């Protein structure tokens, strides 16, 4: 798959399932700010979209969890 650039602004996944990008970004953002419960929710939604498209390799991606390292910041 070619990377997105200023001249190539879309690809087949962006066209067919833009929510996969949205949910993946939300999972990463919530993980970054240590909102683990929300990160897990968005990760699951992202994986559901990819699974519905038949893009998941269950042996590689199935059954994983998101975990937080360290202690939460107050």
């Amino acid at each position: 798959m070619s990377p997105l650039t200023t001249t190539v602004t879309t690809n087949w996944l962006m066209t067919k399932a833009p929510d996969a990008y949205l949910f993946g970004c939300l999972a990463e953002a919530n993980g970054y700010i240590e909102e683990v419960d929300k990160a897990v929710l968005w990760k699951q939604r992202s994986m559901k979209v990819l699974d519905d498209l038949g893009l998941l390799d269950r042996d590689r991606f199935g059954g994983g969890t998101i975990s937080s390292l360290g202690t939460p910041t107050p």
Side-chain angles (χ1 to χ4, degrees):
M1 180 178 343
S2 299
L4 298 178
T5 66
T6 56
T7 56
V8 179
T9 59
T10 192
N11 58 31
W12 69 270
L13 182 59
M14 181 73 76
T15 300
K16 189 165 185 144
D19 48 348
Y21 283 100
L22 173 62
F23 298 157
C25 288
L26 288 169
E28 291 298 318
N30 280 280
Y32 180 76
I33 62 172
E34 298 183 2
E35 292 284 344
V36 177
D37 292 339
K38 290 179 183 177
V40 170
L41 168 75
W42 292 116
K43 177 71 172 187
Q44 289 170 341
R45 291 191 69 184
S46 175
M47 290 292 119
K48 170 83 169 90
V49 171
L50 297 175
D51 189 37
D52 289 349
L53 292 171
L55 298 176
L56 289 185
D57 178 351
R58 293 200 181 274
D59 293 335
R60 185 169 170 207
F61 296 110
T65 59
I66 296 176
S67 60
S68 176
L69 300 176
T71 57
T73 305

